[in-house]
Amino acid sequence: MVQPNFQFEKRQKELAKKKKKEEKKQRKLEDKTPPASDQSGHADDESPST
């Protein structure tokens, strides 16, 4: 009789969680980046007019 490999299953679950967490982290970073670049663009527009 074949026994299930619980260590393999556990490792796969851990890898899936880690991947999901990393993707979530990347999405958060992408959400923060565009507003910061937009603000720096506005600062550049103000400098020449001064």
Side-chain angles (χ1 to χ4, degrees), residues 1 4-5 7-12 17 22 26-27 30-31 33 38-40 43-44 46 48:
M1 186 170 165
N5 189 350
Q7 290 180 347
F8 177 78
E9 291 178 22
K10 183 178 179 182
R11 179 73 176 141
Q12 292 303 307
K17 282 183 183 181
E22 193 66 31
Q26 287 297 323
R27 272 188 265 127
E30 288 173 4
D31 289 345
T33 304
D38 290 344
Q39 291 175 354
S40 64
D44 291 340
E46 294 175 10

Side-chain angles (χ1 to χ4, degrees), residues 4-26:
N5 189 350
F6 291 114
Q7 290 180 347
F8 177 78
E9 291 178 22
K10 183 178 179 182
R11 179 73 176 141
Q12 292 303 307
K13 285 182 183 181
E14 289 174 355
L15 289 172
K17 282 183 183 181
K18 189 174 183 181
K19 183 178 177 183
K20 188 173 181 180
K21 187 175 181 181
E22 193 66 31
E23 289 174 354
K24 191 174 183 181
K25 183 179 177 183
Q26 287 297 323

Side-chain angles (χ1 to χ4, degrees), residues 42-50:
H42 292 292
D44 291 340
D45 293 340
E46 294 175 10
S47 298
S49 64
T50 305

